Amino acid sequence: MFNTTFYVRRLHSLCGLVCLGAVLFEHIFTNSMAMGGPAALNGALGMMELIPKPIFLGLEIGAIAVPLLFHAIYGVYIALQANNNPGRFGYVRNWCFALQRWTAWFLVVFLIWHIFYLRIFTKGITGTPISYELLQSYFTGNPIVAILYILGMFAAIFHFCNGITTFCMTWGITKGPRSQNVVSALSMGLCAVLCLVTLAFMGSYFVM
Ligand code: HEM
């Protein structure tokens, strides 16, 4: 019999790793240009403006909004059903499992705020282009905003990197505890590197 839940869950998993993972990497890469100063970041943002508007909008909707909405809505449904203490995992994995859920809830609130304020209101409704100068005054004008952005990025990075470990389990790529521990250690290493890059580019707005 066709098991819809199985396939929807697999799609949710693939969507998180591939589509949203790609968006996360692109985001960190573009934003890290801030470390090179206004010319570097504005240049990187300007490159995207070279893509014809209808294609860019199509990409934003098809490759970001639709996968994000699907992953977030079905993710909330999964999180509401969460059995937060699966006995088959060790102590650290229990914590990672719980953190995966907590970061998911935090991301729902953070992403609504972030996307509505910067993409929909600032860029879409007021027509103000996003630039180094705008972001610098946004973050340095209110350090609480900067702290919330750093926490939002840390949540997305942890959620994604821990997701690499659970993805490999879900898809049967890592079958035994040994390979699961190796992937888990590597993805936590990636998590630490991406968090440090985030701290570096966010910090650069305050020192330049
Ligand atoms: C917007 C709010 C989000 C919610 C509510 C959410 C929810 C969830 C939940 C509940 C899971 C666990 C699924 C399971 O146990 O089968 C999960 C897994 C995952 N999420 Fe998210 N998520 C969100 C955003 C994101 C973002 C922004 C990314 C990427 C940067 C992402 C990447 C992943 C990955 C890679 C997995 C692992 C898939 C797997 O275990 O097979 N998620 N998400």
Side-chain angles (χ1 to χ4, degrees):
M1 208 181 79
F2 192 78
N3 187 341
T4 315
T5 310
F6 174 85
Y7 289 104
V8 175
R9 214 156 166 148
R10 286 293 162 108
L11 193 62
H12 176 263
S13 158
L14 209 58
C15 191
L17 192 90
V18 180
C19 301
L20 303 181
V23 173
L24 181 70
F25 273 102
E26 184 280 321
H27 233 62
I28 293 177
F29 179 73
T30 306
N31 280 290
S32 67
M33 294 296 156
M35 290 186 282
L41 182 67
N42 291 340
L45 294 170
M47 292 269 280
M48 293 195 210
E49 297 292 321
L50 296 177
I51 303 172
K53 283 225 158 32
I55 297 179
F56 192 75
L57 194 64
L59 279 174
E60 279 189 312
I61 295 172
I64 304 179
V66 172
L68 182 59
L69 277 173
F70 166 66
H71 185 88
I73 293 169
Y74 195 68
V76 165
Y77 169 72
I78 295 173
L80 287 175
Q81 296 182 318
N83 160 19
N84 264 302
N85 204 14
R88 67 198 169 94
F89 296 137
Y91 187 68
V92 176
R93 286 244 52 84
N94 278 337
W95 270 102
C96 288
F97 182 87
L99 265 176
Q100 181 81 3
R101 264 63 181 167
W102 296 339
T103 50
W105 288 116
F106 185 69
L107 281 171
V108 171
V109 180
F110 173 72
L111 290 176
I112 290 174
W113 173 49
H114 169 54
I115 295 168
F116 269 87
Y117 183 68
L118 276 183
R119 175 63 188 91
I120 298 179
F121 177 72
T122 308
K123 190 175 169 191
I125 297 176
T126 71
T128 313
I130 307 295
S131 64
Y132 181 95
E133 293 75 10
L134 180 130
L135 292 172
Q136 188 175 42
S137 74
Y138 186 41
F139 296 136
T140 57
N142 187 352
I144 292 178
V145 170
I147 290 169
L148 287 174
Y149 261 74
I150 291 171
L151 292 177
M153 285 301 295
F154 280 6
I157 292 167
F158 175 84
H159 185 90
F160 170 71
C161 292
N162 186 58
I164 297 174
T165 307
T166 58
F167 178 92
C168 290
M169 292 176 180
T170 309
W171 289 77
I173 300 166
T174 51
K175 292 200 174 100
R178 222 186 143 95
S179 56
Q180 286 171 2
N181 287 343
V182 171
V183 170
S184 177
L186 288 175
S187 51
M188 283 307 114
L190 177 67
C191 179
V193 171
L194 295 179
C195 285
L196 284 174
V197 172
T198 298
L199 271 183
F201 73 70
M202 287 300 290
S204 73
Y205 286 109
F206 290 84
V207 292
M208 288 209 207

